[in-house]
Amino acid sequence: MASRSQTLARIASGKTVTDRTEWVDPARCRPWRMHNRDLDHLSEESCRDLIDSFLAAKRQRIPAIVRRLK
């Protein structure tokens, strides 16, 4: 966990890190069973500002962190 935090801090500071970006089909993703988000609150309307920022930038600036499942 510490190395992930350090990597995120380097990304946030603008320092170069090895790009390990991998495109993943969102249909293959699911929330972690221990996540702390209120999924009932997440809707297109409640996330409109975030969606608009992605569309304006034509990408997500900070990639989502995921883990591969067996």
Side-chain angles (χ1 to χ4, degrees), residues 3-69:
S3 65
R4 182 183 307 167
S5 296
Q6 292 166 350
T7 300
L8 289 174
R10 285 196 307 271
I11 290 169
S13 71
K15 294 181 181 174
T16 304
V17 295
T18 303
D19 183 7
R20 296 183 62 191
T21 302
E22 181 178 330
W23 294 102
V24 178
D25 179 0
R28 294 181 51 211
C29 299
R30 63 180 167 82
W32 180 45
R33 65 180 178 83
M34 302 283 289
H35 71 86
N36 60 355
R37 290 183 182 90
D38 178 6
L39 294 179
D40 293 332
H41 174 71
L42 295 178
S43 67
E44 186 172 340
E45 182 179 330
S46 69
C47 296
R48 176 49 47 198
D49 59 335
L50 182 61
I51 294 167
D52 290 343
S53 72
F54 289 167
L55 294 172
K58 297 191 176 14
R59 65 186 183 106
Q60 184 173 338
R61 284 186 265 163
I62 299 176
I65 297 174
V66 297
R67 67 176 60 110
R68 188 177 310 270
L69 299 176

